[in-house]
Amino acid sequence: VQLQASGGGLVQSGDSLRLSCTASGGTFSTYALGWFRQAPGKEREFVALIRWSGGSTSYADSVKGRFFISRDNAKNTLYLQMNRLKPEDTAVYYCAAGVPQYELEYLTPPDYDYWGQGTQVTVSS
């Protein structure tokens, strides 16, 4: 599976941005899909997850209520709608896909099998 993330950019605090992640190869609808981010000097951290069955979602507390993850299986595309952006949201954002395994929570990078190249999001104050 190849993942291609896009949609990043430079925005002001309070603005919105939508990230996209297009997949090729594999069976998109069967994967757990997640967004992670990594700021300079920090570890990669979980942002949001959408599961393969029923599309249930999970969010990091820092983005809950502001970010929304969704998937369009017909288009093989994952989205992250980011609202009310803050300077602390500045990071490189990565999309990831994980082969479904019921014992995994998909909240940490090792739970994922495939990664996109990342897209930079910069939020100015």
Side-chain angles (χ1 to χ4, degrees), residues 3 18-33 35 50-52 54-55 57 68-81:
L3 302 174
R18 188 177 80 159
L19 305 182
S20 298
C21 176
T22 302
S24 59
T27 306
F28 182 80
S29 62
T30 65
Y31 293 111
L33 301 172
W35 287 99
I50 185 165
R51 294 173 181 83
W52 62 91
T57 57
F68 299 94
I69 188 172
S70 62
R71 64 193 295 169
D72 186 335
N73 290 334
K75 295 182 178 180
N76 285 1
T77 303
L78 171 71
Y79 301 100
L80 184 68
Q81 177 66 42

Side-chain angles (χ1 to χ4, degrees), residues 8-125:
L10 172 63
V11 297
Q12 294 187 331
S13 182
D15 285 351
S16 297
L17 205 59
R18 188 177 80 159
L19 305 182
S20 298
C21 176
T22 302
S24 59
T27 306
F28 182 80
S29 62
T30 65
Y31 293 111
L33 301 172
W35 287 99
F36 287 75
R37 66 187 181 185
Q38 189 166 17
K42 296 187 177 181
E43 293 187 351
R44 192 168 299 190
E45 66 172 2
F46 169 77
V47 175
L49 153 70
I50 185 165
R51 294 173 181 83
W52 62 91
S53 177
S56 63
T57 57
S58 297
Y59 296 92
D61 288 343
S62 59
V63 307
K64 201 171 294 183
R66 298 188 299 123
F67 290 14
F68 299 94
I69 188 172
S70 62
R71 64 193 295 169
D72 186 335
N73 290 334
K75 295 182 178 180
N76 285 1
T77 303
L78 171 71
Y79 301 100
L80 184 68
Q81 177 66 42
M82 305 186 294
N83 301 323
R84 291 184 282 129
L85 282 160
K86 305 175 181 180
E88 50 264 44
D89 295 320
T90 295
V92 177
Y93 283 71
Y94 297 90
C95 56
V99 175
Q101 298 184 58
Y102 287 95
E103 67 274 20
L104 298 180
E105 294 185 326
Y106 296 97
L107 301 178
T108 58
D111 290 346
Y112 291 83
D113 302 284
Y114 308 101
W115 290 84
Q117 85 290 357
T119 184
Q120 176 71 46
V121 173
T122 303
V123 185
S124 63
S125 58

